[in-house]
Amino acid sequence: VALLLAAFCVVAGFIGHYGQGAGDATLAFLHQQMLMKDIAISGGFLALAMAGAGAWSADGRGFAIGADVT
């Protein structure tokens, strides 16, 4: 799911922000920043996909992964 969300962030960022605001420098800068934000969020999703959710995952909560069992 994280890989799909990463791809979605990049695609949505390019559709929504790439090349927008050409007439106004302030608006163009705003859209550039928002595109970089979407790419950064995508990077976070890629990191999550590589590392896994761990204790935050549904499986981790259900089966106590990472908890000491005595």
Side-chain angles (χ1 to χ4, degrees), residues 19-70:
Q20 299 292 322
D24 184 15
T26 304
L27 192 57
F29 179 73
L30 173 76
H31 280 287
Q32 180 185 12
Q33 292 298 311
M34 294 300 108
L35 177 61
M36 292 298 127
K37 176 218 27 133
D38 290 339
I39 292 171
I41 291 172
S42 177
F45 280 130
L46 290 176
L48 179 63
M50 294 301 293
W56 291 94
S57 68
D59 292 337
R61 287 180 176 262
F63 298 111
I65 294 174
D68 284 337
V69 179
T70 54

